[in-house]
Amino acid sequence: MKYYEVNFDGQIAPTHEFAGLSKGNIASTQHQGLAANHSRAIEQWQHKVSLIASLGIKQFKLPLVTRPDANVLKTLGLTQAQLQNCPSKLKSALLSASAMWAANAATITPSCDSLDAKVHVTPANLAHFFHRLIEVEQTQKNLTRLFDSEYFIHHAPLPNHPWFYDEGSANHLRICPDYGHSAINIFVYGHDSFNQDSSEHLQFPSRQSLQASEAIARNHKLNPKDTLFVQQNPKAINAGVFHNDVISVANKNVLLFHEQAFINTQDTIKTLKNLYSSKYPASTFYPIGIKASDLSLKQAVSSYLFNSQLVSVEDKKGEYMALVAPYECKANQAVQAVLNKILNEDNPIKQIYYLDLSESMANGGGPACLRLRVVLSEAELASLKLDDYRI
């Protein structure tokens, strides 16, 4: 049975602004208070989804998460009129258009990975920041309505507690020869809630816990033998890597990563290589490591190289991979040198496309942040009523 990568991009609410609400997200805090342009943001978003669709990727949009949320206002004893007189930070949080970054909407396990052969969906609880936490109720309803067939199992968000901080697929990697293969699932966490030593060196907050990742793996019925839990490098978090998708990206049998992405990166890659060769002896795994001497953490974060979308493209000559990168990568000489090296080496990445996503980038969101990536079989995709979500 054929499986596809399907992209569901988050829509941009009219309340889009640069409020600087996310500590540890350097772009967000640096652009706090500057003027945002909703029309430009929509235009840039449209260019991105059009490019992805033109590459043959199945592309849809998520239902809009409205702002302000009437239920949240009611809970806080506020009316629309009273909102205008709220303290500025609360007002910005209640109006935040942060649901546009759909990579944080949920973790979704394909049926080919789960032991019960079902697609499992867990909305992220986004419990670390108030402006994101208030997205969850609408997002859960939207995902339940969107993925509505016998193939899908919907789980409640994890408990809203610091032990279970969960920010969705931005901290999840899937490695396999092809989308329909049972994959190696990698959950990247920033801290172990039951081990103080795991976060004592953090200057910025960790937004994904080991306990959350473990709970999702259990609920989604992943095979423990094919599931890895890898800790982020505190140096990366302190440099502004608030999600793993700011420092590594995977597609099929390719993993593009910075050497300072994880604690003990070399050991992690060695374990992954051994597991891959054992599980898929007829396939080649391509770990593409970028050295700190070639690209510093600061340069990686400012360019958002690793937040590019890494996609598979088919043409008359066969299949290859392409990176869909923000313009900031084109303007950075160090990034260009890294990309040229990647293109000239023996690996599936053969093409790079650049996009102007300045409105999203100013809030700390590159191409990958804007989409929820889902792997679905032909039958699962056909079971969904997606006419209202086409782009």
Side-chain angles (χ1 to χ4, degrees), residues 38-66:
H38 178 254
S39 296
R40 186 182 299 132
I42 290 289
E43 182 180 351
Q44 293 172 351
W45 177 88
Q46 187 65 58
H47 285 162
K48 185 188 92 79
V49 297
S50 296
L51 172 61
I52 295 298
S54 74
L55 297 176
I57 312 301
K58 297 184 183 302
Q59 177 72 66
F60 300 91
K61 60 186 176 184
L62 292 172
L64 180 66
V65 172
T66 58

Side-chain angles (χ1 to χ4, degrees), residues 24-27 204 232 234-243 246 297-298 301 304 364:
N25 179 335
I26 291 174
F204 290 146
Q232 274 186 288
K235 291 181 179 178
I237 296 175
N238 291 339
V241 180
F242 54 95
H243 291 141
V246 180
L297 285 172
K298 183 177 180 180
V301 171
Y304 265 44

